[in-house]
Amino acid sequence: MSWADFSDAVLNFTNYGELLPLFTDTLLAGAILGVVGGLIGTFVMMRDLAFAVHGIAELSFAGAAFALLVGADVIMGSLVGSILAALLLGVMGVRARERNSVIGVIMPFGLGLGILFLSLYQGRSANKFGLLTGQIVSVDSTQLSALAGTALVVVVGLVLIWRPLTFASADPDIATARGVPVRTLSLAFMFLLGIAVALSIQVVGALLVLALLITPAAAALQITATPRMVVLLSVAFAMISTVGGIMLALGGSIPISPYVTTLSFAIYVVCRLGGAWRRRRGWSARPAAVV
């Protein structure tokens, strides 16, 4: 492939002004997913669940692949797989060591199931590829409404349990001693996380879901120790990654996920360098672990 072919495939803004208005709903969907990813990502970092996100994504992929095989709704299959995996992890793996062991068992099982279902599927190869790399290209008003409604469930759920969940995430032992229902909160959060993973897979696919649920929050923690700023920056970074990635992808012929993950990674690198520079000059404290 020549450099000209590569540049045309990655960034080609011919007729871009005509294309952009046609994807307004897609951009709105990306913004919604950015809000969800940024919010829930702060708790993922607090609770050390980065590995869990990947494990949930594998079973979400398996659920979507099974739905594709039997002709059911792929998004619903992804949701079912995510929620089942998240609740399973919440029940079986309360402590980090136990949780990581369970995830290590679930991940290859989910990935193997997904590959099996895709191997049996005889339809378009683009549908198979989309489950791994994301496929939110053309969203109509009905799909946008469904996405917004599902995302609202996650946001409202987080708001309702925000304070006790923050306490339980920061110090579960003290929270338990003070009567906070730590296990119930953990299950509730895992349920919301399962939904968020399924939604994020629509943008970046099962393999790269960490770019929306981990990287923005990790970047925010590099440059601020203020709890509210961590949340706001995490949401902002996630929205920039999703909306910006979609806008760039409209000018190319490759999936959206490389654009989203590249933007997300670039933001993290800049924040990490900026945070290191600030700390060397004594302008900021150690990155916060509490939201």
Side-chain angles (χ1 to χ4, degrees):
M1 174 181 284
S2 66
W3 173 253
D5 293 334
F6 175 79
S7 61
D8 284 341
V10 176
L11 292 176
N12 183 352
F13 294 106
T14 304
N15 300 323
Y16 188 79
E18 299 176 4
L19 284 174
L20 192 59
L22 301 177
F23 291 91
T24 302
D25 288 342
T26 300
L27 293 173
L28 289 174
I32 291 170
L33 293 174
V35 171
V36 172
L39 284 176
I40 208 162
T42 55
F43 284 106
V44 170
M45 295 299 296
M46 287 177 63
R47 300 174 70 85
D48 192 22
L49 290 174
F51 194 35
V53 170
H54 199 34
I56 295 170
E58 302 296 356
L59 272 187
S60 180
F61 162 63
F66 179 76
L68 186 65
L69 176 64
V70 300
D73 184 75
V74 174
I75 295 177
M76 184 58 64
S78 178
L79 273 171
V80 171
S82 285
I83 292 173
L84 286 178
L87 293 179
L88 181 64
L89 293 178
V91 171
M92 297 182 64
V94 178
R95 297 190 179 277
R97 181 176 299 178
E98 298 173 357
R99 184 176 62 238
N100 289 339
S101 298
V102 174
I103 296 168
V105 173
I106 287 178
M107 281 179 59
F109 174 68
L111 186 59
L113 278 181
I115 293 173
L116 171 63
F117 297 145
L118 289 187
S119 299
L120 296 174
Y121 176 68
Q122 300 298 317
R124 297 173 58 220
S125 60
N127 292 334
K128 300 180 182 181
F129 194 58
L131 295 181
L132 295 173
T133 61
Q135 52 189 348
I136 184 170
V137 178
S138 181
V139 177
D140 58 32
S141 57
T142 302
Q143 293 171 321
L144 179 61
S145 298
L147 177 66
T150 308
L152 185 62
V153 171
V154 178
V155 174
V156 171
L158 282 177
V159 170
L160 291 177
I161 64 174
W162 192 280
R163 290 179 63 85
L165 181 63
T166 300
F167 188 17
S169 301
D171 198 327
D173 293 330
I174 294 179
T176 301
R178 294 194 177 184
V180 177
V182 174
R183 188 174 183 83
T184 301
L185 286 171
S186 177
L187 287 173
F189 176 73
M190 293 303 288
F191 175 77
L192 298 175
L193 179 60
I195 298 176
V197 169
L199 295 178
S200 300
I201 283 176
Q202 297 178 55
V203 179
V204 292
L207 298 180
L208 302 172
V209 69
L210 297 180
L212 280 184
L213 297 183
I214 302 297
T215 311
L221 286 168
Q222 294 297 320
I223 58 175
T224 182
T226 306
R228 290 184 180 178
M229 285 302 298
V230 170
V231 177
L232 292 175
L233 286 176
S234 178
V235 171
F237 293 157
M239 290 184 67
I240 291 171
S241 299
T242 52
V243 176
I246 291 170
M247 292 181 70
L248 289 174
L250 294 180
S253 59
I254 61 177
I256 292 173
S257 53
Y259 300 97
V260 175
T261 54
T262 299
L263 283 176
S264 184
F265 179 72
I267 290 171
Y268 176 80
V269 170
V270 171
C271 289
R272 188 171 182 89
L273 293 174
W277 181 75
R278 286 168 60 92
R279 287 190 290 275
R280 281 199 302 269
R281 297 180 64 89
W283 286 5
S284 63
R286 184 180 179 180
V290 179
V291 176

